[in-house]
Amino acid sequence: MGLGQLASRALLRSSRLTTATRTSHFLRTIVSTPELHNSEVAAAQSQPEPDLPKRNPVGGARIHFPNPDDAIEVFVDGYPVKIPKGMTVLQACEIAGVDIPRFCYHSRLSIAGNCRMCLVEVEKSPKPVASCAMPALPGMKIKTDTPIAKKAREGVMEFLLMNHPLDCPICDQGGECDLQDQSMAFGSDRGRFTEMKRSVVDKNLGPLVKTVMTRCIQCTRCVRFATEVAGVQDLGILGRGSGEEIGTYVERLMASELSGNVIDICPVGALTSKPFAFKARNWELKGTESVDVTDAVGSNIRIDSRGPEVMRILPRLNEDINEEWISDKTRFFYDGLKRQRLNDPMIRGADGRFKTVSWRDALAVVAEVMHQAKPEEIVGVAGKLSDAESMMALKDFLNKMGSNNIWCEGNGPNPNADFRSGYIMNTTIGGLENADVFLLVGTQPRVEAAMVNARIKKTVRATNATVGYIGPAADFNYDHQHLGTGPQTLIELAEGRHPFWSALSNAKNPVIIVGAGIFERKDKDAIFSTVVAIAKNANAVRPGWNGLNVLLLNAAQAAALDLGLVPESNGSVESAKFLYLMGADDVNVEKVPDDAFVVYQGHHGDRSVYRANVILPSSAFTEKEGTFANTEGCAQTTVPAVPTVGDARDDWKIIRALSEVAGAQLPYDTLSAIRSRIRTVAPNLLHTDEREPATFSTSSLRPEIKEKMDMAPFETAVKNFYMTDSVTRASKIMAQCSALLLKK
Amino acid sequence: MASTLKYVRVPPNSANMEEARKRVFEFFKTACRSIPTIMDIYILDDVAKPSQLRSTVASEIRKNAHVTDPKVIDMLLIKATEELSNIVEHAKQRHHIIGQYVVGRQGLTQDLGIKDQGNSNFLNSFYSGNYF
């Protein structure tokens, strides 16, 4: 927040004033800094200020002028600043490089203006004004550093601290608390409060958010977040005056997939993380900037670790993907990284039990069995959490062994990887904000990609966009029309017979989102061609706007399709003699023949381990460097935050080592070498952190589909939001969430 | 045995290399004589033979073969005597002895031989750890 800087400036100023005038402390004054009392004198003293060094906007903020005529000029502490019309005084100050203290104001939420911490002095106004709620007017002279402003802040601080417990030593927010920081910077140096403090009963918000409601300062950020971003009306304010409380109106849990974000926005320790409670202090943690892999959004996260342990996961700002929020699954699944881990290579003995062996022996056994299988009986499956490097290595290795039966989980039996625009989100997540009509086909974004859903919710709230949904009955946290459950509705839309068609055809920027659950259907090509027809009729794909999207489910999917992990034949699992599962836990192991040899390479003992003959332990995404492409096709890399567990190795290294033991050595020894191999296949995976749009649009280039659509309704792709992959299934917190929060 | 070793005194400095050399041999003999006791108190019968331990002692001494200063040799002898008496007095535990003198410093991976000769550097470093 840059408050430290502000604090030091405030301290410097006050010490200078203290030496300048010295009045006696005879009376017990309202303000502890007595100089602030005779503000006129102090104001006169601090009036003639010479040219100060140039100030830069807070946090490198940049202003965008939608209309150059609307620029107005205001003066902040004497500096002229040009800002667009409609900005608030607080925003003007931020652009002028002055960070105004605040509690209730949050740039992504509506303005409440109830904490009064952001009071500044404006010339010709009789009282200090709340800068967060006051629009800046042309020629306004704003003073942020005057005795009046300081006195106002000090007074507000004193009132806030009146009922705030002094339990910083046992508070989890300690060290990253806005109230702590700002009371150091702007508060009084002594208290006059002798009465009893108010106490409030704690609320039960579920297994994720711990509440200590006595600490609450009623900034109402959480209430506004719940209604505006999360779209649940669970939180509210009850009572008035000193009886004011935040709470759920009736005894119920906060059932939102974004509820963890209230922990971040709470400026005090009233809402803290329940799993993280009393586990660590924020200054002992090492932050690693990484990427989430539990869904296909690729939310930017910071992994806070202490030693070999991941202590918590926090969001990282990325305006294009997750803004500053993350879903509860992303935030709280990390305890799964400590459970059910595979740490040694193991071979299943004759008695059906696993025996720990050395890497040498394990690789030798795998290589020998692999040579006994016929090339077409060798099958490889990449899991939901695989990184691009290891998928590239696995594909190259299997190809060298003569097999091309390799695919990635979730992409279905016959994925269409010909055109990149056919499987990514072409509109981009940020671009969804420009849409005015959404058509969701067989996708429930709330559980499939919570951050995409938050973006749709934001658009619906901001522009009243219409949302039409085709699929099984599902939970939405914004207004939507349930058009139908299956392909029949799609046909009606394509033929223009459906009532929703008028909304779709009249839309300026229509967006059609197809769920990746449809990949698993046999008639997916027919469905896609119908969707393409709808998009064509609605003019959704045109120069400057591409509204035809696929919403993927897993972190590995987009990269797998980019790398061409497409199986040669259908149903190859049934005929496999040698099955290589690289973290694939959702393969139907029932279908695998009994005499097949199954190698499981992964980090968690999950479903597939029960069938595996050999286990090769690999590292999880927090322990390795890997490239992941998200659903909009933006490649991002994870960064190792903690060391690997036991004798585990990175995924691509295991395949590289196995290839040498099997006598089909892969030509890369380093991560950079494997990336230059990727460059020849999918160069977009190397442009990390910037999205490479798809070159062609598929609509005109796809072959004609003759097969008929199956009229069976669409199915729910994600049954349990909290448990979708091996890590989240191993997590205790996620198990509690699915027990308590899922609607039965 | 233990009681005699307890009172072993290291006499004043050796005057020349000859004397130092003689003392080294005397120490080696003392060490060899205490090997049966050591085998006994640390139950080493199933992990090592007396001859193995003798050669370990010898190789430990040979490690300092390059030292030519009698004063330094005396110092090393004092340290060696101290170590020996610690061992004989059962001031150590079994795994100390096994780790230091039976398994040796190259660790438990002693089979690095013909098997790994044809391997690439990558595979050899893969077998030894994840970070390379």
Side-chain angles (χ1 to χ4, degrees):
Chain A
M1 240 190 174
L3 276 169
Q5 220 181 353
L6 239 184
S8 61
R9 206 193 307 148
L11 289 174
L12 266 177
R13 183 64 69 80
S14 66
S15 64
R16 200 183 64 193
L17 283 171
T18 321
T19 45
T21 53
R22 193 87 219 145
T23 37
S24 66
H25 271 281
F26 194 70
L27 285 169
R28 226 177 144 200
T29 53
I30 292 173
V31 176
S32 61
T33 350
E35 298 71 36
L36 299 182
H37 245 300
N38 38 7
S39 52
E40 291 87 338
V41 181
Q45 275 176 347
S46 59
Q47 200 51 231
E49 256 180 331
D51 283 313
L52 286 166
K54 182 141 173 38
R55 292 171 177 179
N56 292 318
V58 174
R62 264 184 245 157
I63 3 165
H64 167 67
F65 290 93
N67 183 0
D69 301 336
D70 280 349
I72 54 170
E73 196 177 43
V74 296
F75 300 89
V76 178
D77 293 341
Y79 286 97
V81 203
K82 277 218 157 50
I83 51 160
K85 217 182 218 168
M87 265 195 168
T88 62
V89 172
L90 190 142
Q91 284 167 320
C93 291
E94 271 185 355
I95 284 160
V98 180
D99 205 349
I100 305 289
R102 85 287 299 266
F103 290 112
C104 70
Y105 176 78
H106 192 281
S107 53
R108 279 170 222 281
L109 303 175
S110 65
I111 294 164
N114 57 1
C115 75
R116 315 311 285 179
M117 192 61 196
C118 61
L119 292 174
V120 293
E121 196 182 344
V122 174
E123 225 170 71
K124 296 200 191 85
S125 108
K127 295 186 288 183
V129 298
S131 62
C132 69
M134 182 75 165
L137 301 170
M140 209 178 218
K141 291 196 172 60
I142 304 156
K143 291 173 186 156
T144 62
D145 223 7
T146 57
I148 289 183
K150 280 189 194 163
K151 186 175 157 186
R153 286 173 198 158
E154 209 176 280
V156 169
M157 207 68 226
E158 196 171 1
F159 275 124
L160 285 178
L161 292 177
M162 214 162 76
N163 274 325
H164 190 83
L166 298 174
D167 59 356
C168 300
I170 56 145
C171 175
D172 266 314
Q173 193 86 347
E176 49 186 356
C177 175
D178 283 358
L179 191 68
Q180 209 178 22
D181 292 348
Q182 294 187 26
S183 69
M184 292 300 287
F186 307 106
S188 161
D189 59 351
R190 67 206 65 192
R192 294 175 291 158
F193 186 71
T194 50
E195 294 90 66
M196 288 292 284
K197 290 194 189 242
R198 169 189 92 125
S199 67
V200 181
V201 182
D202 292 345
K203 310 290 183 295
N204 179 16
L205 291 188
L208 302 176
V209 183
K210 181 188 160 187
T211 60
V212 183
M213 279 311 184
T214 311
R215 294 181 190 144
C216 178
I217 58 168
Q218 282 83 37
C219 70
T220 68
R221 273 187 191 180
C222 49
V223 178
R224 282 174 285 148
F225 175 84
T227 23
E228 290 161 22
V229 180
V232 291
Q233 312 283 335
D234 286 354
L235 285 182
I237 201 145
L238 306 150
R240 283 180 67 85
S242 66
E244 198 167 275
E245 286 180 24
I246 303 280
T248 50
Y249 301 102
V250 286
E251 188 68 24
R252 62 185 284 191
L253 310 178
M254 188 177 169
S256 165
E257 71 287 354
L258 299 176
S259 66
N261 293 300
V262 298
I263 297 164
D264 287 341
I265 57 167
C266 182
V268 293
L271 305 176
T272 51
S273 165
K274 206 172 243 178
F276 182 65
F278 309 128
K279 289 281 190 301
R281 283 298 193 183
N282 73 314
W283 56 83
E284 0 170 86
L285 300 175
K286 183 190 80 169
T288 311
E289 305 206 327
S290 190
V291 179
D292 169 48
V293 298
T294 52
D295 54 25
V297 179
S299 301
N300 287 211
I301 53 170
R302 196 182 83 204
I303 301 169
D304 276 355
S305 58
R306 189 176 59 187
E309 202 180 352
V310 176
M311 299 305 292
R312 66 171 174 181
I313 287 177
L314 293 179
R316 191 152 61 87
L317 181 72
N318 188 331
E319 295 288 352
D320 297 328
I321 297 174
N322 58 325
E323 301 184 282
E324 60 183 87
W325 321 118
I326 49 173
S327 71
D328 284 353
K329 182 165 59 168
T330 309
R331 188 185 293 265
F332 292 112
F333 81 98
Y334 61 86
D335 72 318
L337 293 166
K338 295 173 215 161
R339 291 194 178 80
Q340 297 276 347
R341 289 302 294 268
L342 303 172
N343 53 1
D344 279 309
M346 282 183 264
I347 297 180
R348 196 189 287 276
D351 56 348
R353 291 179 175 277
F354 279 115
K355 218 175 78 199
T356 305
V357 292
S358 71
W359 272 105
R360 226 177 240 95
D361 298 343
L363 292 187
V365 166
V366 173
E368 202 190 312
V369 176
M370 203 167 182
H371 275 296
Q372 284 163 7
K374 282 189 219 128
E376 62 271 16
E377 291 167 349
I378 298 176
V379 173
V381 187
K384 289 174 169 178
L385 311 177
S386 308
D387 52 310
E389 285 85 358
S390 59
M391 286 192 287
M392 184 79 260
L394 183 63
K395 182 169 166 62
D396 279 351
F397 174 48
L398 290 196
N399 287 358
K400 277 202 162 197
M401 297 301 286
S403 159
N404 198 19
N405 277 321
I406 170 164
W407 69 92
C408 176
E409 268 181 342
N411 282 345
N414 186 19
N416 195 337
D418 294 342
F419 293 106
R420 206 160 150 259
S421 60
Y423 55 84
I424 63 170
M425 180 165 258
N426 294 301
T427 315
T428 74
I429 298 173
L432 292 179
E433 286 183 32
N434 301 323
D436 46 6
V437 171
F438 291 89
L439 176 64
L440 309 176
V441 181
T443 177
Q444 300 89 37
R446 193 170 179 190
V447 286
E448 290 176 18
M451 294 326 301
V452 172
N453 190 56
R455 214 47 100 102
I456 300 174
K457 156 87 189 153
K458 188 180 175 187
T459 315
V460 170
R461 186 182 153 76
T463 64
N464 277 327
T466 330
V467 180
Y469 165 68
I470 305 174
D475 256 356
F476 279 86
N477 48 4
Y478 39 82
D479 283 341
H480 72 286
Q481 301 172 28
H482 195 172
L483 310 177
T485 55
Q488 185 58 43
T489 321
L490 269 185
I491 296 172
E492 284 171 19
L493 273 172
E495 292 167 358
R497 287 189 278 127
H498 199 276
F500 190 72
W501 173 247
S502 62
L504 198 62
S505 55
N506 291 329
K508 226 179 353 173
N509 292 327
V511 159
I512 301 170
I513 302 177
V514 185
I518 289 175
F519 284 162
E520 303 287 352
R521 284 173 71 107
K522 288 226 160 47
D523 59 339
K524 76 174 179 61
D525 285 328
I527 291 177
F528 269 93
S529 69
T530 317
V531 170
V532 167
I534 296 173
K536 201 183 265 173
N537 296 347
N539 201 16
V541 184
R542 55 173 194 259
W545 179 259
N546 192 339
L548 183 55
N549 303 291
V550 176
L551 181 59
L552 299 177
L553 294 170
N554 313 323
Q557 264 180 307
L561 292 169
D562 281 349
L563 293 171
L565 264 69
V566 179
E568 205 171 49
S569 54
N570 286 345
S572 39
V573 166
E574 286 91 330
S575 60
K577 286 280 173 299
F578 179 92
L579 183 60
Y580 198 98
L581 302 174
M582 192 172 71
D585 283 302
D586 292 87
V587 170
N588 193 353
V589 284
E590 309 275 298
K591 281 199 210 156
V592 180
D594 288 338
D595 60 338
F597 189 83
V598 179
V599 179
Y600 181 77
Q601 169 188 331
H603 39 78
H604 274 75
D606 204 47
R607 293 171 185 168
S608 295
V609 163
Y610 294 105
R611 177 61 187 83
N613 296 86
V614 173
I615 294 174
L616 305 175
S618 69
S619 44
F621 81 101
T622 49
E623 296 149 14
K624 67 180 172 192
E625 194 181 341
T627 307
F628 291 89
N630 73 356
T631 182
E632 50 168 6
C634 176
Q636 303 177 96
T637 51
T638 57
V639 177
V642 287
T644 50
V645 174
D647 211 13
R649 304 279 192 270
D650 292 349
D651 281 298
W652 72 267
K653 284 179 184 163
I654 297 173
I655 292 159
R656 163 67 183 77
L658 178 62
S659 74
E660 187 173 336
V661 176
Q665 191 173 337
L666 293 171
Y668 23 76
D669 282 356
T670 56
L671 209 55
S672 55
I674 203 166
R675 284 189 182 150
S676 43
R677 162 72 182 132
I678 289 177
R679 187 184 304 279
T680 61
V681 182
N684 58 294
L685 289 176
L686 297 175
H687 301 163
T688 46
D689 296 333
E690 51 185 288
R691 180 181 179 270
E692 185 115 328
T695 338
F696 295 109
S697 161
T698 48
S699 49
S700 55
L701 292 160
R702 279 206 178 170
E704 289 267 316
I705 306 296
K706 282 168 203 80
E707 60 184 284
K708 289 275 282 178
M709 260 195 281
D710 181 7
M711 286 304 151
F714 298 131
E715 279 170 24
T716 321
V718 175
K719 302 272 184 321
N720 181 350
F721 167 68
Y722 295 103
M723 291 174 138
T724 48
D725 49 63
S726 58
V727 188
T728 46
R729 278 193 288 260
S731 158
K732 190 178 157 195
I733 304 168
M734 290 296 106
Q736 285 173 349
C737 285
S738 30
L740 291 172
L741 299 179
L742 285 183
K743 293 224 169 72
K744 296 282 148 39
Chain B
M1 197 66 174
S3 55
T4 54
L5 265 173
K6 212 173 201 173
Y7 301 105
V8 166
R9 291 274 182 278
V10 181
N13 282 351
S14 312
N16 50 22
M17 271 303 277
E18 264 322 293
E19 201 181 335
R21 190 178 149 77
K22 214 177 81 195
R23 282 189 188 166
V24 172
F25 279 110
E26 267 167 23
F27 168 77
F28 180 61
K29 282 176 192 164
T30 326
C32 287
R33 282 181 200 124
S34 52
I35 280 178
T37 329
I38 295 168
M39 300 277 293
D40 193 37
I41 59 177
Y42 294 104
I43 323 167
L44 296 177
D45 300 296
D46 50 346
V47 289
K49 286 195 282 277
S51 60
Q52 256 178 321
L53 289 182
R54 265 199 299 280
S55 57
T56 312
V57 177
S59 69
E60 288 289 313
I61 292 173
R62 285 212 180 86
K63 260 188 205 161
N64 299 313
H66 59 282
V67 180
T68 48
D69 189 345
K71 273 188 184 170
V72 176
I73 296 177
D74 281 350
M75 196 61 221
L76 289 168
L77 272 176
I78 290 171
K79 284 186 165 183
T81 318
E82 194 185 2
E83 174 79 7
L84 181 62
S85 60
N86 279 346
I87 292 174
V88 171
E89 282 167 8
H90 209 159
K92 300 206 170 209
Q93 291 175 10
R94 187 166 182 259
H95 66 268
H96 293 134
I97 308 297
I98 293 177
Q100 231 173 326
Y101 299 109
V102 178
V103 177
R105 283 192 168 73
Q106 65 266 48
L108 285 160
T109 52
Q110 285 182 323
D111 55 348
L112 284 165
I114 14 158
K115 259 205 226 162
D116 285 338
Q117 270 173 7
N119 291 346
S120 69
N121 286 336
F122 178 91
L123 196 55
N124 286 335
S125 33
F126 177 83
Y127 286 143
S128 56
N130 187 34
Y131 297 101
F132 53 87

